[in-house]
Amino acid sequence: MLAFVLLLLASLGLVIVASTLNACSNCGDFVVPYPLSTNEDCGDKRYKVYCNDESLEFMSATGTYYKILKIDPSANKFVIRPPPILKNSCYSSDLFKGGLLLDVNLPFNISTQNTVMLFNCSDNILRSPLNCSSNSICRQFEEKVQEGYGCMDTLCCHYLKDSAMNSHKIRLRVGGCTAYTCLVGFKPDDPLQTWNYGIELQWFPPN
Ligand SMILES: *[C@@H]1O[C@H](CO)[C@@H](O)[C@H](O)[C@H]1NC(C)=O
Ligand SMILES: *[C@@H]1O[C@H](CO)[C@@H](O)[C@H](O)[C@H]1NC(C)=O
Ligand SMILES: *[C@@H]1O[C@H](CO)[C@@H](O)[C@H](O)[C@H]1NC(C)=O
């Protein structure tokens, strides 16, 4: 009986050690929750993120790094920073990589809480179900946010990236749309000062 109890305690101990070993150590001030993995020895390797100079980053299918701003481990979600729009232009920094593209074989997708604004689009976009009207919120971004000044008076649109949309990309191209930004949890009529810039991604929980 004593031996059994000791065995039980020993294996419990092992389980506890194993689960704490599995979570990665902090990246700067960021707690990195399981299954996210900053290196071979921790987390689950399919959920790779990068700790570059104490900044936690996500890498897209094109090898572009996006800074992680916030993680909600209980919802399996994290928010990345939209790439900057380059000064005196209407080009997002990831334009020549085709925008944000996620590897469809990895357990990440774009959540349904994102409102995307696209800028400097070609006329073809008007045939899509996007809101490209003169009262689209993208007009406010162009006129009132410095980062958007380079996009002023270009054709722009916004849309909710819901389940009807592709959940692995926000596509950009020269001759299509050349810049974008994104808001998390935006509700119509939310004033500009309260906009929450980011792109919310989700991970499929590991089994
Ligand atoms: C476009 O978006 C604006 C701002 O949210 C809204 O007031 C307007 O009704 C929308 N237009 C269409 C056609 O959905
Ligand atoms: C808008 O896009 C076109 C190509 O689609 C490009 O030639 C032009 O420079 C872009 N405008 C700005 C302000 O970046
Ligand atoms: C994205 O991932 C979540 C769970 O991780 C899943 O519930 C959802 O269906 C996925 N969305 C699409 C469009 O595949």
Side-chain angles (χ1 to χ4, degrees):
M1 184 61 190
L2 183 64
F4 174 74
V5 170
L6 284 177
L7 199 67
L8 193 70
L9 284 176
S11 51
L12 262 178
L14 275 179
V15 168
I16 290 165
V17 170
S19 61
T20 47
L21 272 184
N22 264 339
C24 295
S25 51
N26 291 5
C27 173
D29 295 331
F30 247 107
V31 175
V32 181
Y34 188 86
L36 300 182
S37 172
T38 49
N39 70 63
E40 293 282 308
D41 309 328
C42 63
D44 179 325
K45 275 183 284 190
R46 290 170 300 162
Y47 297 81
K48 192 122 196 56
V49 290
Y50 297 80
C51 187
N52 297 327
D53 290 334
E54 309 212 319
S55 160
L56 194 61
E57 301 184 336
F58 174 77
M59 193 180 80
S60 71
T62 62
T64 312
Y65 291 95
Y66 298 85
K67 188 180 169 65
I68 295 178
L69 300 175
K70 197 177 132 203
I71 304 179
D72 180 352
S74 58
N76 302 329
K77 287 175 170 179
F78 60 90
V79 175
I80 58 174
R81 186 168 66 192
I85 296 173
L86 305 177
K87 247 196 155 130
N88 302 319
S89 78
C90 189
Y91 284 8
S92 282
S93 62
D94 61 3
L95 167 64
F96 294 105
K97 304 276 187 161
L100 174 66
L101 305 177
L102 304 190
D103 186 336
V104 295
N105 298 311
L106 292 181
F108 298 104
N109 69 17
I110 301 173
S111 87
T112 53
Q113 298 299 310
N114 296 292
T115 296
V116 179
M117 291 176 244
L118 296 170
F119 300 94
N120 193 27
C121 299
S122 67
D123 292 347
N124 300 337
I125 199 116
L126 295 172
R127 279 182 267 128
S128 71
L130 313 187
N131 184 332
C132 308
S133 68
S134 58
N135 54 14
S136 163
I137 58 168
C138 65
R139 292 286 158 209
Q140 295 181 48
F141 183 80
E142 287 181 349
E143 286 161 15
K144 302 195 181 114
V145 181
Q146 191 165 7
E147 196 186 348
Y149 290 175
C151 296
M152 196 106 65
D153 299 327
T154 65
L155 175 53
C156 74
C157 310
H158 79 268
Y159 65 101
L160 176 67
K161 202 156 176 66
D162 61 12
S163 54
M165 302 278 175
N166 185 303
S167 69
H168 287 96
K169 58 184 162 194
I170 297 174
R171 185 103 173 83
L172 292 186
R173 64 184 178 83
V174 174
C177 305
T178 61
Y180 69 107
T181 193
C182 186
L183 306 175
V184 179
F186 170 80
K187 289 185 285 315
D189 304 329
D190 278 355
L192 183 95
Q193 296 75 20
T194 67
W195 289 3
N196 181 21
Y197 294 93
I199 306 167
E200 189 182 76
L201 306 184
Q202 243 178 312
W203 68 81
F204 300 86
N207 297 323

